[in-house]
Amino acid sequence: MRVRLRPAWSPEQLAQIYAVPHKHDFWPDHRLRVAETINLAREMGVPDTVADLSCGDAVIGRALAPSRLILGDFAPGYELTGPLEQTLDQIPHVGMFICSETVEHLDDPDAVLARVREKADSLVLSTPLCETTDRNPEHYWGWDTDGVEAMLRAVSWTPVLQRNVIYMPDPGENWMAAFYQIWGCK
């Protein structure tokens, strides 16, 4: 399953939406997803050079501690700033590319993942699992694991690790359940 949730925002709207880097630690489901993404990346084997051009607070890349870490984000604050579609051209070939909670925000995720394939030996990707409504105004796409696997394979990524992460709040907490899928590809 793969579904388009909304049309793309204008560049001006995107600049407002992504004015500051995302901080993951406010939400318990994001803390869980980030920890599981780090674990999966370590299972893949962390190479000397890692890039994350939608890094938010950069916790994933910094936890992996490669010899060379290339960070960027749409929001200002890093050496590489701007849309991933543009900053991707500014990096050399890397051993691992981190794409955490990013592809659902892209107008053409297939084209971006194809370009990442040309720039990286491995990919660690996370995205929501089975999102089918436009409740999150930042997300353009929703998909299940079959939809993501088909997209990855269509642009020559071979999944080698995959896990789903489910966050279930304790009774009385003011958080909603959240569902993510994390992929490791070569």
Side-chain angles (χ1 to χ4, degrees):
M1 180 271 305
R2 177 177 176 164
V3 61
R4 179 77 186 219
L5 302 174
R6 76 179 65 262
W9 296 109
S10 72
E12 296 78 23
Q13 290 168 316
L14 289 173
Q16 289 180 335
I17 292 169
Y18 303 116
V20 297
H22 174 76
K23 291 184 59 83
H24 85 287
D25 57 356
F26 177 76
W27 297 274
D29 61 309
H30 289 216
R31 290 192 300 267
L32 174 63
R33 178 199 28 90
V34 164
E36 290 300 321
T37 302
I38 292 166
N39 290 339
L40 186 136
R42 286 181 175 147
E43 287 177 44
M44 293 281 297
V46 179
D48 290 339
T49 305
V50 173
D52 186 344
L53 302 183
S54 54
C55 70
D57 55 12
V59 169
I60 296 170
R62 289 182 177 139
L64 298 176
S67 302
R68 172 92 169 96
L69 179 59
I70 302 167
L71 297 174
D73 200 88
F74 190 102
Y78 295 97
E79 180 181 341
L80 299 175
T81 299
L84 178 57
E85 297 88 342
Q86 295 170 13
T87 58
L88 192 53
D89 292 333
Q90 299 174 41
I91 66 167
H93 191 87
V94 297
M96 178 179 282
F97 193 91
I98 306 295
C99 196
S100 178
E101 299 304 296
T102 302
V103 292
E104 66 275 9
H105 298 255
L106 300 174
D107 191 37
D108 190 351
D110 305 80
V112 170
L113 289 172
R115 289 178 56 211
V116 169
R117 186 67 186 113
E118 297 169 0
K119 291 279 193 171
D121 297 327
S122 64
L123 170 70
V124 173
L125 178 143
S126 72
T127 189
L129 175 62
C130 294
E131 184 175 22
T132 58
T133 69
D134 63 357
R135 183 174 56 94
N136 186 326
E138 297 177 15
H139 293 182
Y140 297 165
W141 295 98
W143 29 50
D144 61 8
T145 54
D146 290 340
V148 171
E149 182 174 7
M151 178 173 57
L152 290 166
R153 289 187 184 282
V155 296
S156 299
W157 284 108
T158 302
V160 294
L161 292 174
Q162 193 279 323
R163 68 178 52 114
N164 295 332
V165 175
I166 300 170
Y167 171 76
M168 295 301 291
D170 290 330
E173 286 186 312
N174 287 332
W175 302 106
M176 295 175 45
F179 306 88
Y180 301 98
Q181 51 186 309
I182 307 172
W183 296 81
C185 304
K186 298 268 183 172

